[in-house]
Amino acid sequence: MAEQEEDFSLLPLSDRFTHKNWKVRKEGYEDAAKQFAATPDESAPLFRPFVLDAGLWKGAVADSNVAAQQEGVNALCAFLKYGGAQACSRSRNATITPIVEKGLSSAKAATKQGTLEALMLYVEVEGKSDALVEDLLQGLSNKQPKIVAATLNALTALHHAYGVKIIEPKQSLKALPKVFGHADKNVRAEASNLAVELYRWLREAMKPLFWNELKPVQQQELERSFEVVKNEPAPKQERLLRSQQEAAAAPPAAADEEVDDGGEAEQEDGTEVFDLADPVDVMGKIPGDFHENMASAKWKDRKDALDALYEILNVHRIKDGHFDEIIQVLAKSMKDANIAVVTVAANCVDVLAKGLRHSFSKYRGRIMAPILERLKEKKQSVTDALSQALDSVFMTTNLSDCLPDILEFLKHKNPQVKSETLKFLIRCLKTTREAPAQPEVKSIAETATKLLTESTEVTRAGGAEVLGTLMKIMGERPMAPYMEGLDDIRKVKIKEYCEAAQVKAKFKPKPVAPPSKAAAPAQKRAPAAKKSAPGLKPPGKRASTPTSENHVSSPQSRPAANKVIPSKLGSLPKSGLAAPSAGLKKKLAGAGPPPSLSSPRRNISSPSPLDEAPAPKLGRGLAGRPLGKPAAAAAEPSRPSAPAGMTAEEREELEETRADRDRLQRSTDDLRADKAKLTSQIHELQNQNAQLIEDHTRDVLSIKAKETQLVRARSDAEAAESTVQRQTREMDRLKRELSRSVARDVSPLPDDQIYQDRTSSNGLAHRPGLQSFDSGRSSEHRDGASRPERRLFGSPSEEKENGAFDVGFGKRLGVGREGSGEESGGTAAGAGVGVGHGGDSYKRAAEVTSQLKARIEQMKAKQGLTRPGR
């Protein structure tokens, strides 16, 4: 009973936030929300404990009791709403994780809506979302699918409310492939919703960041989902930041600024791939032999090197670096004789300019002139590539930077260069976002007017289109002076081009505010003069038109002077001299009235007739008084241009100083123009020097390459000469071997010694079998002698075999050493072939003949001398 009757409302809010009783905590959350709403400003002492101890909000958002958690989330929203940026920055790190894990996936719709509102307030008050989105994306790694789905839902709501300008979409796009592969269908559905929401803002620019990582089926499903929102108008930010709310509540005096901001917003394109992509360092990917290949004499090597460079540079965003050598190579390639090399080089310039954007502007002066010079190429594919490169280069700079080169090439003697440069100028005028200045308008209009008298129709039509596009930007009135000398037909054509042109820039004349501000002090001082001279109106007119008093040549100033002097003199006796003398004594510190007042009158109204004409009407008694009064009246119109307390000498010195300033300014402008011209000449000379150095380097490398080739050719010639000598010696040796072989085959065993009868009584010489064998043997020897080249293919081992065979064969026939000894010694013929034995001798001879033929065929097969017919 004591616990129930205890009053916990007397406890501090911080103690009630951490109380063990959930009811006490719930009541504490409710009281905190009410007290936060009643605070006068962000610096109220009530916020200090919660700013210093952010852990209190961690427990409130992740309260174990569902009812208390709902009130804790409401208290957090009140704290963020009324506590300001400090409350958000101090509590964000402690609350995002419990919001993701406990709040977004809560079963109660009120709690879920409250946590989502807290996330919205974090973005609204802080004005930035990078840290918040980074903390939210950690929830995508949670193991519970409901938490992942709730996190994706929160990201979708944030993008829908604030758009992609405030909520950075890059991190969300990179996380999409992972959640599209989740096993839970609810997670995949929320991922599709997030992708569709991002597509509403980014369109096709979002695809390069994640599209290739999806499966084909997922791509098809997303394409069907994109078709639903493709035709919808461009989305707008639905929830304003705190800073935007303050700007919207600004007084009407800022209406002009809002209009200007709106105009800029209309000019801004949607988010591009360049804004979402990460910079890529391409310098490290360029091959080491790139410059060597570009210096090659073969166009194929140069084209292959540029193709490889194009593949490296063809990324969405390039990290800034030193591309001077690459630009120099590309500029030189524009002069290449092969159009394929020129086309690929132009494509490289295109992707490099798109990848670097504004960082490429420093290379514009080195690459634009060579591209414009190469526009003389008549092949359409080359011209298109060069034009695309020029457009990309122009997008990195502005019209003022590119205009000198364009106007210079519009005077080119080549009609093709002039025509293509004219088209480029028209594209520049249509895409520029800044209207050209008056000097630039004059130069463009004069050049285009001269082109209207060209001999070719294309050039004349281009000049008319330039004037029409320029009229669309500047308006008809500023362009009227340049249209005076044209005939009606050309004027009609120019107006047609003006109506059809679509431009992004619009000339806005500056409001003439200084005259109205200068007239304000004169109007304030006029009543003081009226008090001293109530009936005087002309001084008010003089104050409003000071220029008519200073310039005597205007005819309207003279009658005004004639009227003013008598009207002032009518009131001189009472207050004519009192007010001027009092004021002059204060302002002129020590100068006497007569000399100080008389000199301004002489300088301002220099013609003497105007000052002397009213004198006869004044009377002699007032001779001294007009000296002060007209001077005071004349001093009034000079107040807007100079301080009223200045003497005539000081005014003259001021005018001289102003004239000197104008003269110095003109001389400074001339010097700046000369400096710019000299700078351009210096750059041109530097480019020429670099070109000469490169040509010299290429020539030196070419000479070294030729010397290397000459040395290699000499070494090859020496090797070939030694080979020829070696082959000659080998041929001589083979010839000697061939002669020995022939001698060995013929001289030791003549055919007639084998079969011829050594005695006249045996009669074997008349046998046809032996005679035929002898003739065949002789023919084989003749064939072998007539074809010695076939014996070259035989190896020494084969020759040895043949030699061994000859010796054995002679032994078998009995005509070896035994036959020779038998012939020389005179022994009986019984040791050889038995010629006198009748039938046995004939059989023996036939057997020997068959063996001899078989052996000869084997020898021919070994030596490769077998004839095709056999």
Side-chain angles (χ1 to χ4, degrees):
M1 296 295 293
E3 292 181 359
Q4 294 180 356
E5 293 178 356
E6 186 177 356
D7 187 8
F8 296 100
S9 60
L10 300 178
L11 295 176
L13 288 175
S14 57
D15 296 340
R16 296 165 68 183
F17 270 42
T18 58
H19 201 276
K20 62 180 181 180
N21 191 337
W22 68 270
K23 293 182 180 181
V24 178
R25 295 196 304 271
K26 180 175 178 297
E27 292 177 357
Y29 301 150
E30 294 174 352
D31 292 345
K34 294 177 182 179
Q35 294 182 24
F36 290 150
T39 54
D41 53 19
E42 301 173 1
S43 60
L46 180 62
F47 296 106
R48 185 172 181 80
F50 299 96
V51 170
L52 297 177
D53 189 5
L56 297 174
W57 295 113
K58 181 178 180 181
V61 175
D63 200 296
S64 58
N65 187 274
V66 178
Q69 182 188 12
Q70 179 180 346
E71 297 299 332
V73 171
N74 295 336
L76 176 63
C77 293
F79 175 72
L80 299 176
K81 184 177 181 180
Y82 300 104
Q86 186 179 8
C88 293
S89 60
R90 292 296 185 90
S91 62
R92 186 185 62 249
N93 295 332
T95 57
I96 297 300
T97 301
I99 284 177
V100 171
E101 295 178 354
K102 299 290 184 180
L104 294 175
S105 60
S106 177
K108 296 191 67 173
T111 303
K112 188 183 301 184
Q113 186 65 28
T115 52
L116 189 59
E117 177 65 21
L119 295 177
M120 297 284 184
L121 286 170
Y122 274 118
V123 178
E124 175 185 328
V125 177
E126 284 191 298
K128 54 184 180 180
S129 62
D130 296 340
L132 177 68
V133 173
E134 185 177 356
D135 293 339
L136 282 177
L137 290 176
Q138 294 179 1
L140 300 180
S141 302
N142 199 288
K143 296 181 179 179
Q144 298 183 23
K146 66 176 184 178
I147 295 178
V148 179
T151 305
L152 291 173
N153 185 21
L155 289 172
T156 305
L158 288 173
H159 284 293
H160 183 81
Y162 293 106
V164 295
K165 293 293 183 181
I166 298 174
I167 307 297
E168 177 63 36
K170 186 185 300 184
Q171 299 177 0
S172 301
L173 288 172
K174 292 181 178 180
L176 281 178
K178 178 182 178 181
V179 293
F180 267 112
H182 202 279
D184 190 78
K185 62 179 182 180
N186 295 327
V187 175
R188 296 195 300 270
E190 291 294 340
S192 299
N193 295 336
L194 177 58
V196 171
E197 180 62 33
L198 291 174
Y199 185 82
R200 291 178 62 242
W201 296 89
L202 304 175
R203 300 296 178 181
E204 298 297 326
M206 62 180 274
K207 288 186 177 181
L209 273 73
F210 75 102
W211 194 256
N212 294 331
E213 300 181 22
L214 301 180
K215 298 179 180 178
V217 178
Q218 296 172 343
Q219 294 178 359
Q220 294 174 4
E221 292 178 357
L222 284 179
E223 286 291 351
R224 289 193 293 269
S225 302
F226 293 160
E227 289 294 333
V228 179
V229 298
K230 184 174 292 185
N231 297 326
E232 293 182 0
K236 296 182 180 180
Q237 182 179 343
E238 296 183 356
R239 185 162 179 165
L240 300 178
L241 300 177
R242 188 67 58 86
S243 58
Q244 294 173 341
Q245 294 175 10
E246 295 175 356
D256 296 336
E257 299 179 359
E258 294 177 2
V259 171
D260 295 340
D261 294 341
E264 294 178 358
E266 290 178 0
Q267 291 180 354
E268 290 182 357
D269 297 333
T271 304
E272 300 179 0
V273 183
F274 180 85
D275 302 324
L276 302 176
D278 295 328
V280 179
D281 186 8
V282 298
M283 291 299 295
K285 300 180 181 180
I286 298 177
D289 58 348
F290 172 74
H291 296 282
E292 181 179 355
N293 292 334
M294 289 303 301
S296 175
K298 297 181 180 180
W299 70 269
K300 185 67 175 174
D301 296 341
R302 300 195 299 271
K303 183 178 179 299
D304 293 341
L306 289 175
D307 286 333
L309 179 65
Y310 177 80
E311 295 298 329
I312 295 173
L313 298 178
N314 191 16
V315 294
H316 298 297
R317 190 170 184 176
I318 298 176
K319 185 180 179 180
D320 191 13
H322 299 286
F323 293 92
D324 301 86
E325 296 181 357
I326 302 298
I327 295 297
Q328 184 176 356
V329 170
L330 295 176
K332 182 182 177 182
S333 299
M334 294 300 162
K335 303 177 183 179
D336 201 286
N338 191 279
I339 59 175
V341 177
V342 176
T343 304
V344 181
N347 294 334
C348 292
V349 174
D350 179 26
V351 296
L352 183 60
K354 290 180 178 178
L356 289 176
R357 290 291 179 91
H358 296 294
S359 301
F360 187 84
S361 59
K362 55 188 175 183
Y363 308 115
R364 181 207 58 80
R366 301 170 59 184
I367 195 65
M368 178 170 283
I371 297 177
L372 290 171
E373 184 68 33
R374 191 63 187 193
L375 287 174
K376 61 186 178 181
E377 189 65 42
K378 295 183 179 180
K379 192 170 183 180
Q380 190 62 33
S381 60
V382 183
T383 306
D384 293 342
L386 294 173
S387 300
Q388 181 63 34
L390 285 173
D391 293 343
S392 300
V393 172
F394 173 74
M395 294 305 295
T396 63
T397 59
N398 51 39
L399 182 62
S400 300
D401 295 337
C402 301
L403 192 58
D405 291 336
I406 296 175
L407 295 179
E408 185 66 26
F409 277 90
L410 284 177
K411 304 174 185 177
H412 203 277
K413 60 183 179 180
N414 192 323
Q416 178 73 13
V417 175
K418 188 181 297 183
S419 175
E420 294 298 330
T421 306
L422 197 55
K423 294 178 182 178
F424 174 54
L425 176 58
I426 295 171
R427 295 194 301 272
C428 293
L429 291 174
K430 290 182 178 180
T431 56
T432 182
R433 296 187 180 278
E434 297 179 359
Q438 291 297 334
E440 297 171 351
V441 172
K442 181 179 179 181
S443 59
I444 296 172
E446 291 177 352
T447 305
T449 304
K450 294 178 182 178
L451 295 175
L452 293 176
T453 59
E454 288 287 335
S455 58
T456 58
E457 174 61 25
V458 177
T459 307
R460 293 196 301 269
E465 188 172 358
V466 168
L467 290 175
T469 308
L470 195 59
M471 183 182 292
K472 185 76 171 182
I473 297 174
M474 304 301 296
E476 296 186 4
R477 185 175 179 182
M479 292 295 296
Y482 310 106
M483 303 285 290
E484 291 179 355
L486 304 179
D487 53 12
D488 295 337
I489 298 176
R490 290 173 178 170
K491 288 182 180 179
V492 171
K493 195 170 185 179
I494 291 171
K495 289 184 179 180
E496 289 177 356
Y497 281 118
C498 177
E499 294 174 357
Q502 295 181 357
V503 297
K504 297 182 179 179
K506 198 67 176 176
F507 175 69
K508 297 179 181 179
K510 296 181 179 179
V512 185
S516 61
K517 294 180 180 178
Q523 293 175 359
K524 292 179 181 179
R525 293 174 184 175
K530 288 179 181 179
K531 290 180 181 178
S532 60
L536 298 180
K537 292 183 180 178
K541 295 181 180 179
R542 282 189 171 184
S544 62
T545 58
T547 55
S548 64
E549 294 293 335
N550 295 329
H551 301 283
V552 182
S553 61
S554 62
Q556 298 177 357
S557 62
R558 297 181 179 179
N562 294 330
K563 294 178 182 179
V564 168
I565 294 174
S567 63
K568 289 184 178 180
L569 291 172
S571 58
L572 281 176
K574 295 184 179 180
S575 59
L577 293 176
S581 61
L584 290 172
K585 287 180 180 179
K586 295 179 180 179
K587 295 178 181 178
L588 297 178
S596 63
L597 294 176
S598 59
S599 58
R601 184 178 60 81
R602 293 193 188 97
N603 291 331
I604 295 175
S605 58
S606 58
S608 58
L610 296 177
D611 298 333
E612 296 174 356
K617 299 180 182 180
L618 296 177
R620 295 181 181 179
L622 301 177
R625 294 181 181 178
L627 298 176
K629 191 60 180 181
E636 292 179 357
S638 63
R639 290 175 184 171
S641 59
M646 296 181 62
T647 63
E649 291 80 2
E650 291 175 349
R651 288 195 181 91
E652 291 178 0
E653 185 179 357
L654 177 62
E655 293 299 330
E656 292 176 0
T657 306
R658 288 177 178 174
D660 294 339
R661 184 194 63 183
D662 296 338
R663 186 170 59 256
L664 289 174
Q665 188 173 2
R666 287 193 297 270
S667 63
T668 303
D669 295 338
D670 295 339
L671 291 175
R672 287 178 180 175
D674 296 339
K675 180 182 177 182
K677 185 184 298 184
L678 293 175
T679 304
S680 63
Q681 293 178 359
I682 290 172
H683 288 316
E684 185 176 357
L685 292 175
Q686 287 177 351
N687 294 335
Q688 293 178 1
N689 186 23
Q691 184 69 25
L692 292 174
I693 292 174
E694 185 177 358
D695 294 341
H696 175 69
T697 304
R698 187 186 66 244
D699 294 340
V700 171
L701 293 177
S702 178
I703 292 172
K704 291 183 179 179
K706 296 297 183 183
E707 291 178 353
T708 304
Q709 293 178 0
L710 182 60
V711 171
R712 291 179 180 175
R714 286 177 180 174
S715 63
D716 293 343
E718 293 176 357
E721 186 177 356
S722 63
T723 303
V724 169
Q725 292 177 359
R726 187 172 61 253
Q727 293 296 336
T728 302
R729 291 194 298 269
E730 185 68 18
M731 287 176 61
D732 295 340
R733 186 185 66 80
L734 291 175
K735 285 180 181 179
R736 290 194 298 269
E737 292 292 336
L738 178 62
S739 62
R740 292 195 200 100
S741 176
V742 172
R744 190 166 52 246
D745 290 343
V746 176
S747 60
L749 293 175
D751 295 336
D752 54 356
Q753 292 183 7
I754 300 176
Y755 300 105
Q756 186 177 6
D757 187 10
R758 294 178 176 83
T759 62
S760 59
S761 60
N762 53 12
L764 288 177
H766 302 285
R767 294 188 179 181
L770 295 177
Q771 290 178 358
S772 62
F773 174 75
D774 184 45
S775 63
R777 176 72 174 175
S778 300
S779 64
E780 291 296 331
H781 279 291
R782 285 194 301 272
D783 293 339
S786 62
R787 292 177 289 177
E789 63 273 11
R790 292 191 181 183
R791 294 182 179 271
L792 295 176
F793 298 100
S795 62
S797 61
E798 292 178 352
E799 293 176 1
K800 290 180 181 180
E801 283 184 359
N802 296 336
F805 160 70
D806 292 339
V807 175
F809 179 65
K811 288 181 178 181
R812 288 195 298 271
L813 292 180
V815 292
R817 294 180 180 180
E818 295 177 358
S820 61
E822 189 179 328
E823 183 177 4
S824 61
T827 58
V833 178
V835 181
H837 286 25
D840 295 337
S841 298
Y842 179 79
K843 292 180 180 179
R844 181 63 179 167
E847 182 179 355
V848 170
T849 301
S850 62
Q851 292 178 357
L852 181 61
K853 287 182 178 181
R855 193 64 180 173
I856 289 172
E857 293 296 329
Q858 292 178 0
M859 184 177 67
K860 289 180 178 180
K862 288 182 179 181
Q863 295 182 355
L865 300 177
T866 304
R867 285 177 293 177
R870 297 188 177 184

